[in-house]
Coordinates of all heavy atoms in Angstrom, one line a residue:
M134 N 10.3 -0.2 -11.9 CA 9.2 0.2 -11.0 C 8.2 1.1 -11.8 O 8.7 2.0 -12.5 CB 9.7 0.9 -9.8 CG 8.6 1.3 -8.9 SD 9.0 1.9 -7.2 CE 10.4 1.0 -6.8
N135 N 7.0 0.8 -11.7 CA 5.9 1.6 -12.3 C 5.5 2.7 -11.3 O 4.6 2.5 -10.5 CB 4.8 0.8 -12.8 CG 3.8 1.5 -13.6 OD1 3.8 2.7 -13.6 ND2 2.9 0.8 -14.3
Y136 N 6.1 3.9 -11.4 CA 5.7 5.0 -10.5 C 4.3 5.5 -10.7 O 3.8 6.2 -9.8 CB 6.7 6.1 -10.6 CG 8.1 5.9 -10.0 CD1 9.1 5.3 -10.7 CD2 8.2 6.1 -8.6 CE1 10.3 5.0 -10.0 CE2 9.4 5.9 -8.0 CZ 10.5 5.3 -8.7 OH 11.6 5.0 -8.0
Q137 N 3.7 5.2 -11.8 CA 2.3 5.7 -12.0 C 1.3 5.0 -11.1 O 0.2 5.5 -10.9 CB 1.9 5.5 -13.5 CG 2.7 6.4 -14.4 CD 2.3 6.1 -15.9 OE1 1.9 5.0 -16.2 NE2 2.4 7.1 -16.7
K138 N 1.7 3.8 -10.5 CA 0.9 3.1 -9.6 C 1.1 3.4 -8.2 O 0.5 2.8 -7.3 CB 1.0 1.6 -9.9 CG 0.5 1.1 -11.2 CD 0.6 -0.4 -11.3 CE 0.1 -0.8 -12.7 NZ 0.2 -2.3 -12.8
L139 N 2.0 4.3 -7.9 CA 2.4 4.7 -6.5 C 1.8 6.0 -6.1 O 1.8 6.9 -6.9 CB 3.9 4.7 -6.3 CG 4.7 3.5 -6.8 CD1 6.2 3.8 -6.6 CD2 4.3 2.2 -6.1
D140 N 1.3 6.1 -4.9 CA 0.9 7.4 -4.4 C 2.2 8.2 -4.1 O 3.2 7.7 -3.9 CB -0.1 7.3 -3.2 CG 0.6 7.0 -1.9 OD1 1.5 6.2 -1.9 OD2 0.1 7.6 -0.9
P141 N 2.1 9.6 -4.0 CA 3.3 10.4 -3.8 C 4.0 10.1 -2.5 O 5.2 10.1 -2.5 CB 2.7 11.8 -3.8 CG 1.4 11.7 -4.6 CD 0.9 10.4 -4.3
A142 N 3.3 9.8 -1.4 CA 3.9 9.5 -0.1 C 4.8 8.2 -0.2 O 5.9 8.1 0.3 CB 2.9 9.4 1.0
L143 N 4.2 7.2 -0.9 CA 5.0 6.0 -1.1 C 6.2 6.2 -2.0 O 7.3 5.6 -1.7 CB 4.1 4.9 -1.7 CG 4.7 3.5 -1.9 CD1 5.3 2.9 -0.6 CD2 3.7 2.5 -2.5
A144 N 6.1 6.9 -3.1 CA 7.2 7.2 -3.9 C 8.3 7.9 -3.2 O 9.5 7.6 -3.3 CB 6.7 8.1 -5.1
M145 N 7.9 8.9 -2.3 CA 9.0 9.6 -1.5 C 9.6 8.6 -0.5 O 10.9 8.6 -0.3 CB 8.3 10.7 -0.7 CG 8.2 12.0 -1.5 SD 7.5 13.4 -0.6 CE 8.3 13.3 1.0
A146 N 8.8 7.7 0.1 CA 9.4 6.8 1.1 C 10.4 5.8 0.4 O 11.4 5.5 0.9 CB 8.3 6.0 1.8
L147 N 10.0 5.4 -0.8 CA 10.9 4.5 -1.6 C 12.2 5.2 -2.0 O 13.3 4.6 -2.0 CB 10.2 4.0 -2.8 CG 9.1 3.0 -2.5 CD1 8.3 2.7 -3.8 CD2 9.6 1.7 -1.9
N148 N 12.1 6.5 -2.4 CA 13.3 7.3 -2.7 C 14.2 7.5 -1.5 O 15.4 7.6 -1.7 CB 12.9 8.6 -3.3 CG 12.4 8.5 -4.7 OD1 12.6 7.5 -5.4 ND2 11.6 9.5 -5.1
N149 N 13.7 7.5 -0.3 CA 14.5 7.6 0.9 C 15.0 6.3 1.5 O 15.8 6.3 2.4 CB 13.7 8.4 2.0 CG 13.4 9.8 1.6 OD1 14.1 10.4 0.8 ND2 12.3 10.3 2.1
A150 N 14.5 5.2 0.9 CA 15.0 3.9 1.4 C 16.4 3.7 1.1 O 16.9 4.0 0.0 CB 14.1 2.8 0.7
Q151 N 17.1 3.1 2.1 CA 18.6 2.9 2.0 C 18.9 1.8 1.0 O 19.9 1.8 0.3 CB 19.2 2.6 3.4 CG 18.9 3.8 4.3 CD 19.6 5.1 3.9 OE1 20.7 5.1 3.3 NE2 18.9 6.2 4.1
A152 N 18.2 0.7 1.0 CA 18.5 -0.5 0.2 C 17.2 -1.2 -0.2 O 16.2 -1.0 0.4 CB 19.3 -1.5 1.1
P153 N 17.3 -1.9 -1.3 CA 16.1 -2.6 -1.8 C 15.4 -3.5 -0.9 O 14.2 -3.8 -0.9 CB 16.5 -3.3 -3.1 CG 17.8 -2.7 -3.5 CD 18.4 -2.1 -2.2
E154 N 16.2 -4.1 0.0 CA 15.6 -5.1 1.0 C 15.5 -4.4 2.4 O 15.5 -5.1 3.4 CB 16.4 -6.3 1.1 CG 16.4 -7.1 -0.2 CD 15.0 -7.5 -0.7 OE1 14.2 -7.8 0.1 OE2 14.8 -7.5 -1.9
A155 N 15.5 -3.1 2.4 CA 15.5 -2.3 3.7 C 14.2 -2.6 4.4 O 13.3 -3.3 4.0 CB 15.6 -0.8 3.4
Q156 N 14.0 -1.9 5.5 CA 12.8 -2.0 6.4 C 11.6 -1.9 5.5 O 11.5 -1.1 4.6 CB 12.9 -0.9 7.4 CG 11.6 -0.9 8.3 CD 11.7 0.3 9.2 OE1 12.7 0.9 9.4 NE2 10.5 0.7 9.7
G157 N 10.6 -2.8 5.9 CA 9.4 -2.8 5.1 C 8.5 -1.6 5.4 O 8.6 -0.9 6.4
L158 N 7.7 -1.3 4.4 CA 6.7 -0.2 4.5 C 5.3 -0.8 4.5 O 5.0 -1.8 3.7 CB 6.9 0.7 3.2 CG 8.2 1.4 3.1 CD1 8.4 2.0 1.7 CD2 8.4 2.4 4.2
E159 N 4.5 -0.2 5.3 CA 3.1 -0.7 5.3 C 2.3 -0.1 4.2 O 2.2 1.1 4.1 CB 2.4 -0.4 6.7 CG 1.1 -1.2 6.8 CD 0.6 -1.1 8.3 OE1 1.4 -0.7 9.2 OE2 -0.5 -1.6 8.5
V160 N 1.7 -0.9 3.3 CA 1.1 -0.4 2.1 C -0.3 -1.0 1.9 O -0.6 -2.1 2.4 CB 1.9 -0.6 0.8 CG1 3.2 0.1 0.9 CG2 2.1 -2.1 0.6
F161 N -1.1 -0.3 1.2 CA -2.4 -0.8 0.7 C -2.2 -1.2 -0.7 O -1.6 -0.5 -1.5 CB -3.5 0.2 0.8 CG -3.9 0.6 2.2 CD1 -3.5 1.8 2.7 CD2 -4.8 -0.2 2.9 CE1 -3.9 2.1 4.0 CE2 -5.2 0.1 4.2 CZ -4.7 1.3 4.7
I162 N -2.6 -2.4 -1.1 CA -2.5 -2.9 -2.5 C -3.9 -3.0 -3.1 O -4.7 -3.8 -2.6 CB -1.8 -4.3 -2.5 CG1 -0.5 -4.3 -1.7 CG2 -1.6 -4.8 -3.9 CD1 0.0 -5.7 -1.3
H163 N -4.1 -2.1 -4.1 CA -5.4 -2.1 -4.8 C -5.2 -2.9 -6.0 O -4.4 -2.6 -6.9 CB -5.8 -0.7 -5.1 CG -6.1 0.1 -3.9 ND1 -7.3 0.4 -3.4 CD2 -5.2 0.8 -3.0 CE1 -7.2 1.2 -2.3 NE2 -5.9 1.4 -2.1
T164 N -6.1 -4.0 -6.2 CA -6.0 -4.9 -7.4 C -7.3 -4.9 -8.2 O -8.3 -4.2 -7.8 CB -5.7 -6.3 -6.9 OG1 -6.8 -6.8 -6.1 CG2 -4.4 -6.4 -6.1
E165 N -7.2 -5.6 -9.3 CA -8.5 -5.8 -10.0 C -9.5 -6.5 -9.2 O -9.2 -7.2 -8.2 CB -8.2 -6.7 -11.2 CG -7.3 -6.0 -12.3 CD -7.0 -6.9 -13.4 OE1 -7.3 -8.1 -13.4 OE2 -6.4 -6.4 -14.4
S166 N -10.7 -6.4 -9.5 CA -11.8 -7.0 -8.7 C -11.7 -8.5 -8.6 O -12.0 -9.0 -7.5 CB -13.2 -6.6 -9.3 OG -13.3 -5.2 -9.3
I167 N -11.5 -9.2 -9.6 CA -11.4 -10.6 -9.6 C -9.9 -11.0 -9.9 O -9.4 -10.8 -11.0 CB -12.3 -11.3 -10.6 CG1 -13.8 -10.9 -10.2 CG2 -12.2 -12.8 -10.6 CD1 -14.8 -11.3 -11.2
L168 N -9.3 -11.7 -8.9 CA -7.9 -12.1 -9.1 C -7.8 -13.5 -9.6 O -8.5 -14.4 -9.2 CB -7.2 -12.0 -7.8 CG -6.9 -10.6 -7.2 CD1 -6.2 -10.7 -5.9 CD2 -6.0 -9.8 -8.2
Q169 N -6.9 -13.7 -10.5 CA -6.6 -15.0 -11.0 C -5.7 -15.8 -10.0 O -5.1 -15.1 -9.1 CB -5.8 -14.9 -12.3 CG -6.5 -14.1 -13.4 CD -7.8 -14.8 -13.8 OE1 -7.8 -16.1 -13.9 NE2 -8.8 -14.1 -14.1
P170 N -5.7 -17.1 -10.1 CA -4.9 -17.9 -9.1 C -3.5 -17.5 -9.0 O -2.8 -17.5 -8.0 CB -5.1 -19.3 -9.6 CG -6.4 -19.3 -10.3 CD -6.5 -17.9 -10.9
T171 N -2.9 -17.1 -10.2 CA -1.5 -16.7 -10.2 C -1.2 -15.4 -9.4 O -0.2 -15.3 -8.7 CB -0.9 -16.5 -11.6 OG1 -1.8 -15.6 -12.3 CG2 -0.9 -17.8 -12.4
A172 N -2.2 -14.5 -9.4 CA -2.1 -13.3 -8.7 C -2.2 -13.5 -7.2 O -1.4 -13.0 -6.4 CB -3.2 -12.3 -9.1
T173 N -3.1 -14.4 -6.8 CA -3.2 -14.7 -5.3 C -1.9 -15.4 -4.9 O -1.4 -15.2 -3.8 CB -4.4 -15.6 -5.0 OG1 -4.3 -16.8 -5.8 CG2 -5.7 -14.8 -5.3
T174 N -1.3 -16.2 -5.7 CA 0.0 -16.9 -5.4 C 1.1 -15.9 -5.2 O 1.9 -16.0 -4.2 CB 0.3 -17.9 -6.5 OG1 -0.7 -18.9 -6.6 CG2 1.6 -18.6 -6.1
V175 N 1.1 -14.9 -6.1 CA 2.2 -13.8 -6.0 C 2.0 -13.1 -4.7 O 3.0 -12.8 -4.0 CB 2.1 -12.9 -7.2 CG1 3.0 -11.7 -7.0 CG2 2.6 -13.7 -8.5
L176 N 0.8 -12.7 -4.4 CA 0.5 -11.9 -3.1 C 0.9 -12.7 -1.9 O 1.6 -12.2 -1.0 CB -1.0 -11.5 -3.0 CG -1.4 -10.4 -4.0 CD1 -2.9 -10.2 -3.9 CD2 -0.7 -9.1 -3.6
K177 N 0.6 -14.0 -1.9 CA 0.9 -14.8 -0.8 C 2.4 -15.0 -0.6 O 3.0 -15.1 0.5 CB 0.3 -16.2 -0.9 CG -1.2 -16.2 -0.6 CD -1.8 -17.6 -0.8 CE -3.3 -17.5 -0.6 NZ -4.0 -18.8 -0.9
S178 N 3.1 -15.0 -1.8 CA 4.6 -15.2 -1.7 C 5.3 -14.0 -1.1 O 6.4 -14.0 -0.6 CB 5.2 -15.4 -3.1 OG 5.1 -14.2 -3.9
F179 N 4.6 -12.8 -1.2 CA 5.1 -11.6 -0.5 C 4.7 -11.5 0.9 O 5.0 -10.4 1.6 CB 4.7 -10.3 -1.3 CG 5.5 -10.2 -2.6 CD1 4.9 -10.2 -3.8 CD2 6.9 -10.0 -2.6 CE1 5.5 -10.0 -5.0 CE2 7.6 -9.8 -3.8 CZ 6.9 -9.8 -5.0
G180 N 4.0 -12.4 1.4 CA 3.5 -12.4 2.8 C 2.2 -11.7 3.1 O 1.9 -11.4 4.2
V181 N 1.5 -11.5 2.0 CA 0.2 -10.8 2.2 C -0.8 -11.8 2.8 O -0.9 -12.9 2.3 CB -0.4 -10.3 0.9 CG1 -1.7 -9.6 1.1 CG2 0.6 -9.3 0.3
N182 N -1.4 -11.5 3.9 CA -2.4 -12.4 4.6 C -3.8 -12.2 4.1 O -4.1 -11.1 3.5 CB -2.3 -12.1 6.1 CG -1.0 -12.5 6.7 OD1 -0.4 -13.4 6.3 ND2 -0.6 -11.7 7.7
D183 N -4.6 -13.2 4.3 CA -6.0 -13.1 4.0 C -6.3 -12.8 2.5 O -7.1 -12.0 2.2 CB -6.7 -12.1 4.9 CG -8.2 -12.3 4.9 OD1 -8.7 -13.5 4.7 OD2 -9.0 -11.3 5.1
V184 N -5.5 -13.5 1.6 CA -5.7 -13.3 0.2 C -6.8 -14.2 -0.3 O -6.8 -15.4 0.0 CB -4.4 -13.7 -0.5 CG1 -4.6 -13.5 -2.0 CG2 -3.3 -12.8 -0.1
S185 N -7.8 -13.6 -1.0 CA -8.9 -14.4 -1.6 C -9.2 -13.7 -2.9 O -9.0 -12.5 -3.1 CB -10.1 -14.5 -0.7 OG -10.6 -13.2 -0.5
S186 N -9.8 -14.4 -3.8 CA -10.1 -13.9 -5.1 C -11.2 -12.9 -5.1 O -11.4 -12.2 -6.1 CB -10.4 -15.0 -6.1 OG -11.5 -15.7 -5.7
N187 N -12.0 -12.8 -4.1 CA -13.2 -11.9 -4.0 C -12.8 -10.5 -3.3 O -13.7 -9.7 -3.1 CB -14.4 -12.5 -3.4 CG -14.1 -12.9 -1.9 OD1 -13.0 -12.9 -1.5 ND2 -15.1 -13.2 -1.2
K188 N -11.6 -10.3 -3.0 CA -11.1 -9.0 -2.4 C -10.3 -8.2 -3.4 O -9.7 -8.8 -4.3 CB -10.3 -9.3 -1.2 CG -11.1 -9.8 0.0 CD -10.1 -10.1 1.2 CE -9.5 -8.9 1.7 NZ -8.7 -9.1 2.9
D189 N -10.3 -6.9 -3.3 CA -9.5 -6.1 -4.2 C -8.6 -5.1 -3.5 O -7.9 -4.4 -4.1 CB -10.3 -5.4 -5.2 CG -11.4 -4.5 -4.7 OD1 -11.5 -4.4 -3.4 OD2 -12.0 -3.8 -5.5
I190 N -8.6 -5.1 -2.1 CA -7.7 -4.3 -1.4 C -7.1 -5.1 -0.3 O -7.7 -5.8 0.5 CB -8.4 -3.1 -0.7 CG1 -9.0 -2.2 -1.8 CG2 -7.4 -2.2 0.1 CD1 -9.9 -1.1 -1.3
F191 N -5.7 -5.1 -0.2 CA -5.0 -5.9 0.7 C -4.0 -4.9 1.4 O -3.6 -3.9 0.9 CB -4.2 -7.0 0.0 CG -5.1 -7.9 -0.8 CD1 -5.3 -7.6 -2.2 CD2 -5.7 -9.0 -0.3 CE1 -6.1 -8.4 -2.9 CE2 -6.5 -9.8 -1.0 CZ -6.7 -9.5 -2.4
T192 N -3.6 -5.3 2.7 CA -2.5 -4.6 3.4 C -1.4 -5.5 3.6 O -1.6 -6.7 3.8 CB -3.0 -4.0 4.7 OG1 -3.5 -5.1 5.5 CG2 -4.1 -3.0 4.5
A193 N -0.2 -5.0 3.6 CA 1.0 -5.8 3.8 C 2.2 -4.9 4.2 O 2.2 -3.7 3.9 CB 1.4 -6.6 2.6
I194 N 3.2 -5.4 4.8 CA 4.4 -4.8 5.1 C 5.4 -5.3 4.1 O 5.7 -6.5 4.1 CB 4.9 -5.0 6.5 CG1 3.9 -4.3 7.5 CG2 6.3 -4.3 6.7 CD1 4.2 -4.6 9.0
L195 N 5.8 -4.5 3.1 CA 6.7 -4.9 2.0 C 8.0 -4.2 1.9 O 8.1 -3.0 2.3 CB 5.9 -4.7 0.7 CG 4.6 -5.4 0.6 CD1 3.9 -5.0 -0.7 CD2 4.8 -6.9 0.6
S196 N 9.0 -4.9 1.4 CA 10.3 -4.2 1.2 C 10.2 -3.4 -0.1 O 9.3 -3.6 -0.9 CB 11.4 -5.3 1.0 OG 11.2 -6.0 -0.2
P197 N 11.1 -2.4 -0.3 CA 11.0 -1.6 -1.5 C 11.1 -2.5 -2.8 O 10.5 -2.2 -3.8 CB 12.3 -0.7 -1.4 CG 12.4 -0.5 0.1 CD 12.0 -1.9 0.7
S198 N 11.9 -3.6 -2.7 CA 12.0 -4.5 -3.8 C 10.7 -5.2 -4.1 O 10.3 -5.3 -5.3 CB 13.1 -5.6 -3.5 OG 13.1 -6.5 -4.5
A199 N 10.0 -5.6 -3.1 CA 8.7 -6.2 -3.3 C 7.7 -5.2 -3.9 O 6.9 -5.6 -4.8 CB 8.1 -6.8 -2.0
I200 N 7.7 -4.0 -3.4 CA 6.8 -2.9 -3.9 C 7.1 -2.7 -5.4 O 6.2 -2.6 -6.2 CB 7.0 -1.6 -3.1 CG1 6.4 -1.9 -1.7 CG2 6.2 -0.5 -3.8 CD1 6.8 -0.8 -0.7
S201 N 8.4 -2.7 -5.8 CA 8.8 -2.5 -7.2 C 8.2 -3.6 -8.0 O 7.7 -3.4 -9.1 CB 10.3 -2.4 -7.3 OG 10.7 -2.4 -8.6
Q202 N 8.4 -4.9 -7.6 CA 7.9 -6.0 -8.3 C 6.4 -6.0 -8.4 O 5.8 -6.3 -9.5 CB 8.3 -7.3 -7.6 CG 9.8 -7.5 -7.7 CD 10.3 -8.7 -7.0 OE1 9.7 -9.8 -7.1 NE2 11.3 -8.6 -6.2
L203 N 5.7 -5.7 -7.4 CA 4.2 -5.6 -7.5 C 3.7 -4.5 -8.4 O 2.7 -4.7 -9.1 CB 3.6 -5.4 -6.1 CG 3.4 -6.7 -5.2 CD1 2.9 -6.3 -3.8 CD2 2.5 -7.7 -5.9
S204 N 4.4 -3.4 -8.4 CA 4.0 -2.3 -9.3 C 4.0 -2.6 -10.7 O 3.4 -2.0 -11.6 CB 4.8 -1.0 -9.0 OG 6.1 -1.2 -9.5
E205 N 4.8 -3.6 -11.1 CA 4.9 -4.1 -12.5 C 3.9 -5.1 -12.9 O 3.7 -5.4 -14.0 CB 6.3 -4.7 -12.7 CG 7.5 -3.7 -12.5 CD 7.5 -2.6 -13.5 OE1 6.9 -2.8 -14.7 OE2 8.0 -1.5 -13.2
Q206 N 3.1 -5.6 -11.9 CA 2.1 -6.6 -12.2 C 0.9 -5.9 -12.9 O 0.4 -4.9 -12.4 CB 1.6 -7.3 -10.9 CG 2.7 -8.1 -10.2 CD 3.3 -9.2 -11.1 OE1 2.6 -9.8 -11.8 NE2 4.6 -9.4 -11.0
P207 N 0.3 -6.4 -14.0 CA -0.8 -5.8 -14.6 C -2.1 -5.8 -13.8 O -2.9 -5.0 -14.0 CB -1.0 -6.6 -15.9 CG -0.3 -7.9 -15.6 CD 0.8 -7.7 -14.6
W208 N -2.2 -6.7 -12.9 CA -3.5 -6.8 -12.1 C -3.4 -5.9 -10.8 O -4.4 -5.8 -10.1 CB -3.7 -8.2 -11.6 CG -2.5 -9.0 -11.2 CD1 -1.7 -9.8 -12.0 CD2 -2.0 -9.0 -9.9 NE1 -0.7 -10.3 -11.2 CE2 -0.8 -9.8 -9.9 CE3 -2.3 -8.4 -8.7 CZ2 0.0 -10.1 -8.8 CZ3 -1.6 -8.7 -7.5 CH2 -0.4 -9.5 -7.6
V209 N -2.3 -5.2 -10.6 CA -2.2 -4.2 -9.5 C -2.6 -2.9 -10.1 O -1.9 -2.4 -11.0 CB -0.8 -4.2 -8.9 CG1 -0.6 -3.1 -7.9 CG2 -0.4 -5.5 -8.2
K210 N -3.6 -2.3 -9.5 CA -4.0 -1.0 -10.0 C -3.3 0.2 -9.3 O -2.9 1.2 -9.9 CB -5.5 -0.8 -9.7 CG -6.4 -1.6 -10.5 CD -7.8 -1.3 -10.2 CE -8.8 -2.0 -11.0 NZ -10.2 -1.7 -10.7
Y211 N -3.0 0.1 -8.0 CA -2.5 1.2 -7.2 C -1.9 0.7 -5.9 O -2.3 -0.3 -5.3 CB -3.7 2.1 -6.9 CG -3.4 3.5 -6.4 CD1 -2.8 4.4 -7.3 CD2 -3.6 3.9 -5.1 CE1 -2.6 5.7 -6.9 CE2 -3.3 5.2 -4.7 CZ -2.8 6.1 -5.6 OH -2.5 7.3 -5.1
L212 N -0.8 1.3 -5.5 CA -0.1 1.0 -4.2 C -0.1 2.3 -3.4 O 0.3 3.4 -3.9 CB 1.3 0.5 -4.4 CG 1.4 -0.9 -5.1 CD1 2.7 -1.1 -5.7 CD2 1.0 -2.0 -4.2
K213 N -0.5 2.2 -2.2 CA -0.6 3.4 -1.3 C 0.0 3.2 0.0 O -0.2 2.2 0.6 CB -2.1 3.8 -1.1 CG -2.3 5.1 -0.4 CD -3.7 5.5 -0.3 CE -3.7 6.8 0.5 NZ -5.0 7.3 0.8
L214 N 0.8 4.2 0.5 CA 1.5 4.1 1.8 C 0.4 4.2 2.9 O -0.4 5.2 2.8 CB 2.5 5.1 1.9 CG 3.4 5.1 3.2 CD1 4.2 3.9 3.3 CD2 4.3 6.4 3.2
S215 N 0.5 3.4 3.8 CA -0.4 3.5 5.0 C 0.2 4.5 6.0 O 1.4 4.5 6.2 CB -0.5 2.1 5.7 OG -1.3 2.3 6.9
Q216 N -0.6 5.4 6.5 CA -0.1 6.4 7.4 C -0.9 6.5 8.6 O -2.1 6.2 8.6 CB -0.1 7.8 6.7 CG 0.8 7.8 5.4 CD 0.8 9.2 4.8 OE1 0.4 10.2 5.3 NE2 1.2 9.2 3.5
N217 N -0.3 6.9 9.7 CA -1.0 7.0 11.0 C -1.9 8.2 10.9 O -1.5 9.3 10.5 CB -0.1 7.2 12.2 CG 0.7 5.9 12.5 OD1 0.2 4.8 12.2 ND2 1.9 6.0 13.0
L218 N -3.1 8.1 11.4 CA -4.1 9.2 11.4 C -4.2 9.6 12.8 O -4.0 8.9 13.8 CB -5.4 8.7 10.9 CG -5.5 8.2 9.4 CD1 -6.9 7.7 9.1 CD2 -5.0 9.3 8.5
R219 N -4.6 10.9 13.0 CA -4.8 11.4 14.4 C -6.2 12.0 14.4 O -6.8 12.4 13.4 CB -3.8 12.4 14.7 CG -3.7 13.6 13.9 CD -2.7 14.6 14.4 NE -2.7 15.8 13.5 CZ -3.5 16.8 13.6 NH1 -4.5 16.8 14.5 NH2 -3.4 17.8 12.8
L220 N -6.8 12.1 15.6 CA -8.1 12.7 15.7 C -8.0 14.2 15.4 O -7.1 14.9 15.8 CB -8.6 12.5 17.1 CG -8.9 11.0 17.5 CD1 -9.3 10.9 18.9 CD2 -10.0 10.5 16.6
V221 N -9.0 14.8 14.8 CA -9.0 16.2 14.5 C -9.1 17.0 15.7 O -8.4 18.0 15.9 CB -10.3 16.5 13.6 CG1 -10.4 18.0 13.4 CG2 -10.1 15.8 12.3
N222 N -9.9 16.6 16.7 CA -10.0 17.4 17.9 C -9.0 17.0 19.0 O -9.1 17.5 20.1 CB -11.5 17.3 18.5 CG -11.8 15.9 18.9 OD1 -11.0 15.0 18.7 ND2 -13.0 15.7 19.5
N223 N -8.0 16.3 18.7 CA -7.0 15.9 19.6 C -6.1 17.1 19.9 O -5.6 17.7 19.1 CB -6.2 14.7 19.0 CG -5.3 14.1 20.1 OD1 -5.5 14.2 21.2 ND2 -4.3 13.3 19.6
K224 N -6.0 17.4 21.2 CA -5.1 18.5 21.7 C -5.5 19.9 21.1 O -4.6 20.6 20.7 CB -3.7 18.2 21.4 CG -3.3 16.9 22.1 CD -1.8 16.8 22.2 CE -1.4 15.5 22.8 NZ -0.2 15.4 23.4
L225 N -6.8 20.2 21.1 CA -7.2 21.5 20.6 C -7.0 22.5 21.7 O -7.1 23.7 21.5 CB -8.6 21.5 20.1 CG -8.9 20.9 18.7 CD1 -10.4 20.9 18.4 CD2 -8.1 21.7 17.7
G226 N -6.9 22.0 23.0 CA -6.7 22.9 24.1 C -8.1 23.6 24.4 O -9.1 23.0 24.4
S227 N -8.0 24.9 24.6 CA -9.2 25.6 25.0 C -10.1 26.0 23.7 O -11.2 26.5 23.9 CB -8.9 26.9 25.8 OG -8.1 27.7 25.0
R228 N -9.5 25.8 22.5 CA -10.3 26.2 21.3 C -11.4 25.2 21.1 O -11.3 24.0 21.4 CB -9.4 26.2 20.1 CG -8.3 27.2 20.1 CD -7.5 27.2 18.9 NE -7.5 25.9 18.2 CZ -6.8 25.7 17.1 NH1 -6.1 26.6 16.6 NH2 -6.9 24.5 16.5
K229 N -12.5 25.7 20.6 CA -13.6 24.9 20.3 C -14.0 25.0 18.9 O -13.9 26.1 18.3 CB -14.8 25.2 21.2 CG -14.6 25.0 22.6 CD -15.9 24.8 23.4 CE -15.5 24.5 24.8 NZ -16.4 23.5 25.4
L230 N -14.5 24.0 18.3 CA -14.9 24.0 16.9 C -16.3 24.7 16.8 O -17.2 24.3 17.6 CB -15.0 22.6 16.3 CG -13.6 21.9 16.2 CD1 -13.8 20.5 15.6 CD2 -12.7 22.7 15.2
G231 N -16.4 25.6 15.9 CA -17.8 26.3 15.7 C -18.6 25.4 14.8 O -18.2 24.7 14.0
V232 N -19.9 25.6 15.0 CA -20.9 24.9 14.2 C -21.5 25.8 13.2 O -21.8 26.9 13.3 CB -22.0 24.2 15.0 CG1 -23.0 23.5 14.2 CG2 -21.3 23.3 16.0

């Protein structure tokens, strides 16, 4: 596995994974700008949807084993764990943001 291509949150999630084929993690796959046909075939084999040669960011739910294999591909630039975001002003109560 090429840890240099993983963001810290994804690296931690992989270290906590119980098995290589454990529950999938939702990730962003950042690739080279123009993908070769072999690269699109590899992405499709991992279940990545909407793969085309003119895109360079994809999302997928991948096993730790698949993430490891993708991190070794020369055309993959970066893998990032997708995380739930929350609204900043969600549940502020009586506090108000100053301007």
Side-chain angles (χ1 to χ4, degrees):
M134 181 167 326
N135 185 346
Y136 282 94
Q137 293 178 333
K138 292 185 180 181
L139 307 180
D140 79 321
L143 181 56
M145 279 184 40
L147 290 171
N148 287 336
N149 293 334
Q151 300 298 322
E154 296 304 323
Q156 174 185 344
L158 299 168
E159 192 167 351
V160 296
F161 291 103
I162 306 162
H163 297 257
T164 65
E165 292 179 349
S166 298
I167 300 174
L168 289 178
Q169 299 299 319
T171 53
T173 59
T174 301
V175 169
L176 287 171
K177 288 178 183 177
S178 74
F179 285 117
V181 179
N182 294 323
D183 197 26
V184 177
S185 65
S186 60
N187 61 347
K188 290 177 63 176
D189 61 352
I190 300 175
F191 305 92
T192 58
I194 298 175
L195 301 172
S196 69
S198 174
I200 292 169
S201 175
Q202 291 174 46
L203 276 178
S204 74
E205 296 296 332
Q206 299 298 323
W208 43 268
V209 172
K210 291 182 175 179
Y211 196 71
L212 295 161
K213 184 175 180 183
L214 183 65
S215 175
Q216 299 181 18
N217 290 331
L218 300 176
R219 61 179 180 81
L220 295 173
V221 174
N222 63 353
N223 193 17
K224 299 194 181 200
L225 281 178
S227 60
R228 296 184 334 183
K229 296 204 178 217
L230 296 175
V232 177

